[in-house]
Short mmCIF file of all heavy atoms in Angstrom, two decimals:
data_model
loop_
_atom_site.label_atom_id
_atom_site.label_comp_id
_atom_site.label_asym_id
_atom_site.label_seq_id
_atom_site.Cartn_x
_atom_site.Cartn_y
_atom_site.Cartn_z
N ASP A 48 144.35 138.47 131.96
CA ASP A 48 144.47 138.88 130.56
C ASP A 48 145.95 138.79 130.21
O ASP A 48 146.52 137.70 130.22
CB ASP A 48 143.91 140.30 130.39
CG ASP A 48 143.85 140.75 128.93
OD1 ASP A 48 144.15 139.94 128.04
OD2 ASP A 48 143.49 141.91 128.68
N LYS A 49 146.63 139.89 129.99
CA LYS A 49 148.06 139.82 129.67
C LYS A 49 148.91 139.43 130.87
O LYS A 49 150.06 139.03 130.70
CB LYS A 49 148.53 141.15 129.07
CG LYS A 49 148.07 141.34 127.63
CD LYS A 49 148.79 142.48 126.96
CE LYS A 49 148.34 142.63 125.51
NZ LYS A 49 148.75 141.48 124.68
N ASN A 50 148.36 139.55 132.08
CA ASN A 50 149.13 139.10 133.25
C ASN A 50 149.38 137.59 133.21
O ASN A 50 150.26 137.08 133.89
CB ASN A 50 148.45 139.51 134.56
CG ASN A 50 146.97 139.19 134.62
OD1 ASN A 50 146.33 138.95 133.60
ND2 ASN A 50 146.42 139.20 135.81
N ILE A 51 148.62 136.86 132.37
CA ILE A 51 148.89 135.43 132.17
C ILE A 51 150.28 135.22 131.58
O ILE A 51 150.94 134.22 131.87
CB ILE A 51 147.82 134.80 131.25
CG1 ILE A 51 146.53 134.52 132.03
CG2 ILE A 51 148.32 133.50 130.61
CD1 ILE A 51 145.45 133.87 131.22
N LEU A 52 150.74 136.16 130.76
CA LEU A 52 152.02 135.99 130.10
C LEU A 52 153.16 135.93 131.11
O LEU A 52 154.11 135.15 130.95
CB LEU A 52 152.26 137.11 129.09
CG LEU A 52 151.16 137.28 128.02
CD1 LEU A 52 151.55 138.39 127.06
CD2 LEU A 52 150.92 135.98 127.28
N ARG A 53 153.07 136.75 132.16
CA ARG A 53 154.09 136.69 133.21
C ARG A 53 154.01 135.35 133.94
O ARG A 53 155.03 134.76 134.28
CB ARG A 53 153.90 137.83 134.19
CG ARG A 53 154.94 137.84 135.32
CD ARG A 53 154.67 138.93 136.31
NE ARG A 53 154.65 140.23 135.65
CZ ARG A 53 154.05 141.30 136.17
NH1 ARG A 53 153.42 141.23 137.31
NH2 ARG A 53 154.09 142.46 135.53
N MET A 54 152.80 134.87 134.19
CA MET A 54 152.63 133.59 134.86
C MET A 54 153.18 132.46 133.99
O MET A 54 153.79 131.52 134.49
CB MET A 54 151.16 133.37 135.19
CG MET A 54 150.58 134.43 136.11
SD MET A 54 148.82 134.23 136.36
CE MET A 54 148.82 132.78 137.38
N ASN A 55 152.97 132.56 132.68
CA ASN A 55 153.53 131.56 131.77
C ASN A 55 155.05 131.52 131.90
O ASN A 55 155.67 130.45 131.94
CB ASN A 55 153.19 131.90 130.31
CG ASN A 55 151.71 131.81 130.01
OD1 ASN A 55 150.96 131.16 130.71
ND2 ASN A 55 151.28 132.49 128.96
N SER A 56 155.64 132.71 131.96
CA SER A 56 157.09 132.81 132.07
C SER A 56 157.59 132.21 133.38
O SER A 56 158.56 131.46 133.41
CB SER A 56 157.51 134.29 131.97
OG SER A 56 158.90 134.43 132.13
N ASP A 57 156.88 132.53 134.46
CA ASP A 57 157.27 132.00 135.77
C ASP A 57 157.17 130.47 135.80
O ASP A 57 158.01 129.78 136.38
CB ASP A 57 156.39 132.59 136.88
CG ASP A 57 156.64 134.07 137.09
OD1 ASP A 57 157.68 134.56 136.64
OD2 ASP A 57 155.77 134.73 137.71
N GLU A 58 156.14 129.95 135.15
CA GLU A 58 155.89 128.50 135.15
C GLU A 58 156.94 127.76 134.33
O GLU A 58 157.38 126.67 134.69
CB GLU A 58 154.49 128.21 134.59
CG GLU A 58 154.13 126.75 134.47
CD GLU A 58 153.84 126.09 135.82
OE1 GLU A 58 153.61 126.82 136.81
OE2 GLU A 58 153.85 124.86 135.88
N SER A 59 157.32 128.35 133.21
CA SER A 59 158.19 127.64 132.25
C SER A 59 159.66 128.00 132.36
O SER A 59 160.52 127.25 131.88
CB SER A 59 157.72 127.94 130.83
OG SER A 59 157.90 129.32 130.52
N GLY A 60 159.95 129.17 132.95
CA GLY A 60 161.33 129.64 132.98
C GLY A 60 161.76 130.30 131.69
O GLY A 60 162.92 130.65 131.50
N ILE A 61 160.80 130.48 130.76
CA ILE A 61 161.09 131.11 129.46
C ILE A 61 160.82 132.61 129.59
O ILE A 61 159.85 133.02 130.21
CB ILE A 61 160.20 130.50 128.36
CG1 ILE A 61 160.49 129.00 128.22
CG2 ILE A 61 160.41 131.21 127.03
CD1 ILE A 61 159.49 128.27 127.34
N LYS A 62 161.68 133.42 128.97
CA LYS A 62 161.51 134.87 129.06
C LYS A 62 160.10 135.28 128.64
O LYS A 62 159.56 134.79 127.65
CB LYS A 62 162.52 135.58 128.17
CG LYS A 62 163.94 135.58 128.72
CD LYS A 62 164.85 136.40 127.83
CE LYS A 62 166.27 136.44 128.38
NZ LYS A 62 167.16 137.24 127.51
N GLU A 63 159.53 136.24 129.39
CA GLU A 63 158.17 136.71 129.11
C GLU A 63 158.06 137.29 127.70
O GLU A 63 157.00 137.20 127.07
CB GLU A 63 157.79 137.76 130.15
CG GLU A 63 156.34 138.22 130.07
CD GLU A 63 155.99 139.21 131.15
OE1 GLU A 63 156.68 139.23 132.20
OE2 GLU A 63 155.02 139.97 130.95
N SER A 64 159.14 137.86 127.20
CA SER A 64 159.09 138.49 125.87
C SER A 64 158.72 137.49 124.78
O SER A 64 158.06 137.85 123.80
CB SER A 64 160.45 139.13 125.54
OG SER A 64 161.49 138.17 125.59
N TYR A 65 159.12 136.23 124.93
CA TYR A 65 158.75 135.22 123.94
C TYR A 65 157.23 135.02 123.91
O TYR A 65 156.64 134.82 122.84
CB TYR A 65 159.44 133.88 124.24
CG TYR A 65 160.91 133.86 123.90
CD1 TYR A 65 161.87 133.83 124.90
CD2 TYR A 65 161.34 133.88 122.58
CE1 TYR A 65 163.24 133.82 124.60
CE2 TYR A 65 162.70 133.87 122.26
CZ TYR A 65 163.64 133.83 123.28
OH TYR A 65 164.97 133.82 122.98
N TYR A 66 156.60 135.05 125.08
CA TYR A 66 155.15 134.89 125.14
C TYR A 66 154.44 136.09 124.51
O TYR A 66 153.40 135.94 123.86
CB TYR A 66 154.70 134.69 126.59
CG TYR A 66 155.04 133.33 127.13
CD1 TYR A 66 156.17 133.13 127.92
CD2 TYR A 66 154.25 132.22 126.83
CE1 TYR A 66 156.50 131.87 128.41
CE2 TYR A 66 154.57 130.95 127.31
CZ TYR A 66 155.70 130.79 128.09
OH TYR A 66 156.02 129.54 128.56
N HIS A 67 155.00 137.28 124.71
CA HIS A 67 154.39 138.46 124.09
C HIS A 67 154.46 138.36 122.57
O HIS A 67 153.50 138.74 121.87
CB HIS A 67 155.09 139.74 124.58
CG HIS A 67 154.65 140.19 125.93
ND1 HIS A 67 153.48 140.89 126.14
CD2 HIS A 67 155.21 140.02 127.16
CE1 HIS A 67 153.34 141.15 127.42
NE2 HIS A 67 154.37 140.62 128.08
N LEU A 68 155.56 137.86 122.05
CA LEU A 68 155.71 137.74 120.59
C LEU A 68 154.70 136.76 120.00
O LEU A 68 154.23 136.93 118.87
CB LEU A 68 157.13 137.29 120.24
CG LEU A 68 158.23 138.33 120.43
CD1 LEU A 68 159.60 137.69 120.25
CD2 LEU A 68 158.05 139.49 119.45
N ALA A 69 154.35 135.70 120.77
CA ALA A 69 153.44 134.67 120.26
C ALA A 69 152.00 134.88 120.71
O ALA A 69 151.12 134.13 120.30
CB ALA A 69 153.91 133.29 120.75
N ASP A 70 151.76 135.94 121.51
CA ASP A 70 150.45 136.10 122.14
C ASP A 70 149.33 136.27 121.11
O ASP A 70 149.32 137.22 120.34
CB ASP A 70 150.48 137.32 123.06
CG ASP A 70 149.24 137.42 123.93
OD1 ASP A 70 148.69 136.36 124.31
OD2 ASP A 70 148.82 138.54 124.24
N GLU A 71 148.39 135.32 121.13
CA GLU A 71 147.22 135.32 120.25
C GLU A 71 147.59 135.48 118.78
O GLU A 71 146.91 136.14 117.99
CB GLU A 71 146.21 136.37 120.70
CG GLU A 71 145.64 136.08 122.07
CD GLU A 71 144.36 136.79 122.38
OE1 GLU A 71 144.39 138.02 122.58
OE2 GLU A 71 143.31 136.13 122.42
N ARG A 72 148.67 134.82 118.40
CA ARG A 72 149.07 134.72 116.99
C ARG A 72 149.28 133.25 116.67
O ARG A 72 149.83 132.52 117.48
CB ARG A 72 150.36 135.50 116.73
CG ARG A 72 150.23 137.00 116.94
CD ARG A 72 151.55 137.70 116.69
NE ARG A 72 151.43 139.14 116.83
CZ ARG A 72 151.55 139.79 117.98
NH1 ARG A 72 151.79 139.11 119.09
NH2 ARG A 72 151.43 141.10 118.04
N PRO A 73 148.88 132.81 115.48
CA PRO A 73 149.01 131.39 115.14
C PRO A 73 150.46 130.97 115.02
O PRO A 73 151.34 131.79 114.74
CB PRO A 73 148.29 131.27 113.80
CG PRO A 73 148.36 132.65 113.22
CD PRO A 73 148.29 133.59 114.39
N GLY A 74 150.72 129.68 115.21
CA GLY A 74 152.07 129.13 115.09
C GLY A 74 152.45 128.95 113.64
O GLY A 74 152.36 129.87 112.84
N SER A 75 152.84 127.76 113.25
CA SER A 75 153.31 127.49 111.89
C SER A 75 152.22 127.78 110.87
O SER A 75 151.25 127.06 110.76
CB SER A 75 153.74 126.03 111.77
OG SER A 75 153.91 125.69 110.42
N LYS A 76 152.37 128.88 110.13
CA LYS A 76 151.38 129.21 109.10
C LYS A 76 151.35 128.15 108.01
O LYS A 76 150.32 127.92 107.39
CB LYS A 76 151.70 130.58 108.48
CG LYS A 76 151.35 131.76 109.37
CD LYS A 76 149.85 131.88 109.56
CE LYS A 76 149.48 133.16 110.27
NZ LYS A 76 149.59 134.36 109.44
N LEU A 77 152.50 127.49 107.78
CA LEU A 77 152.56 126.47 106.75
C LEU A 77 151.62 125.32 107.10
O LEU A 77 150.82 124.88 106.27
CB LEU A 77 153.98 125.95 106.60
CG LEU A 77 154.21 124.92 105.48
CD1 LEU A 77 153.86 125.53 104.13
CD2 LEU A 77 155.64 124.44 105.49
N LEU A 78 151.68 124.85 108.34
CA LEU A 78 150.79 123.78 108.77
C LEU A 78 149.34 124.24 108.67
O LEU A 78 148.47 123.51 108.19
CB LEU A 78 151.10 123.37 110.21
CG LEU A 78 150.14 122.36 110.84
CD1 LEU A 78 150.21 121.03 110.10
CD2 LEU A 78 150.46 122.15 112.31
N TYR A 79 149.08 125.47 109.10
CA TYR A 79 147.72 126.00 109.07
C TYR A 79 147.16 126.01 107.65
O TYR A 79 146.02 125.65 107.41
CB TYR A 79 147.72 127.41 109.65
CG TYR A 79 146.40 128.13 109.53
CD1 TYR A 79 145.29 127.74 110.29
CD2 TYR A 79 146.24 129.20 108.65
CE1 TYR A 79 144.09 128.40 110.17
CE2 TYR A 79 145.04 129.86 108.54
CZ TYR A 79 143.96 129.46 109.30
OH TYR A 79 142.77 130.12 109.19
N LYS A 80 148.00 126.39 106.69
CA LYS A 80 147.54 126.50 105.31
C LYS A 80 147.36 125.12 104.66
O LYS A 80 146.46 124.91 103.87
CB LYS A 80 148.53 127.34 104.49
CG LYS A 80 148.49 128.82 104.84
CD LYS A 80 149.55 129.58 104.07
CE LYS A 80 149.51 131.06 104.41
NZ LYS A 80 150.58 131.82 103.75
N ILE A 81 148.25 124.18 105.00
CA ILE A 81 148.21 122.88 104.34
C ILE A 81 147.11 121.98 104.89
O ILE A 81 146.37 121.34 104.15
CB ILE A 81 149.57 122.17 104.47
CG1 ILE A 81 150.64 122.97 103.72
CG2 ILE A 81 149.52 120.74 103.96
CD1 ILE A 81 152.04 122.44 103.90
N VAL A 82 147.01 121.92 106.22
CA VAL A 82 146.06 120.98 106.84
C VAL A 82 145.22 121.73 107.86
O VAL A 82 145.52 121.73 109.04
CB VAL A 82 146.79 119.81 107.53
CG1 VAL A 82 145.81 118.67 107.80
CG2 VAL A 82 147.95 119.31 106.72
N LYS A 83 144.16 122.38 107.43
CA LYS A 83 143.35 123.19 108.34
C LYS A 83 142.65 122.33 109.38
O LYS A 83 142.30 122.80 110.45
CB LYS A 83 142.32 124.01 107.56
CG LYS A 83 142.91 125.19 106.83
CD LYS A 83 141.81 126.11 106.33
CE LYS A 83 142.40 127.35 105.68
NZ LYS A 83 141.36 128.28 105.21
N GLY A 84 142.42 121.06 109.07
CA GLY A 84 141.70 120.21 110.00
C GLY A 84 142.56 119.65 111.11
O GLY A 84 142.06 119.01 112.01
N VAL A 85 143.88 119.88 111.05
CA VAL A 85 144.79 119.33 112.05
C VAL A 85 145.20 120.43 113.02
O VAL A 85 145.69 121.47 112.60
CB VAL A 85 146.04 118.74 111.39
CG1 VAL A 85 147.03 118.27 112.45
CG2 VAL A 85 145.66 117.59 110.48
N THR A 86 144.96 120.23 114.31
CA THR A 86 145.39 121.20 115.31
C THR A 86 146.64 120.70 116.01
O THR A 86 146.86 119.49 116.10
CB THR A 86 144.28 121.42 116.36
OG1 THR A 86 143.92 120.17 116.94
CG2 THR A 86 143.04 122.04 115.73
N PRO A 87 147.47 121.61 116.53
CA PRO A 87 148.70 121.18 117.21
C PRO A 87 148.39 120.32 118.42
O PRO A 87 147.35 120.45 119.06
CB PRO A 87 149.34 122.52 117.63
CG PRO A 87 148.74 123.53 116.71
CD PRO A 87 147.35 123.06 116.43
N GLU A 88 149.31 119.42 118.73
CA GLU A 88 149.16 118.55 119.88
C GLU A 88 149.15 119.39 121.16
O GLU A 88 150.03 120.22 121.38
CB GLU A 88 150.33 117.56 119.93
CG GLU A 88 150.34 116.68 121.16
CD GLU A 88 149.07 115.86 121.30
OE1 GLU A 88 148.64 115.26 120.31
OE2 GLU A 88 148.51 115.84 122.42
N LEU A 89 148.12 119.19 122.02
CA LEU A 89 147.99 120.00 123.22
C LEU A 89 148.35 119.20 124.47
O LEU A 89 147.74 119.37 125.53
CB LEU A 89 146.56 120.55 123.33
CG LEU A 89 146.13 121.49 122.21
CD1 LEU A 89 144.75 122.04 122.48
CD2 LEU A 89 147.13 122.62 122.03
#
Side-chain angles (χ1 to χ4, degrees):
D48 187 4
K49 285 193 178 293
N50 48 343
I51 281 182
L52 304 182
R53 180 183 303 159
M54 299 175 72
N55 294 339
S56 177
D57 292 343
E58 177 74 16
S59 65
I61 299 170
K62 286 184 179 180
E63 187 178 337
S64 58
Y65 286 109
Y66 287 98
H67 280 280
L68 288 171
D70 190 33
E71 296 199 289
R72 295 179 178 86
S75 167
K76 285 293 188 74
L77 183 61
L78 174 64
Y79 173 70
K80 288 176 180 177
I81 295 174
V82 197
K83 286 192 176 181
V85 176
T86 56
E88 175 58 47
L89 297 184

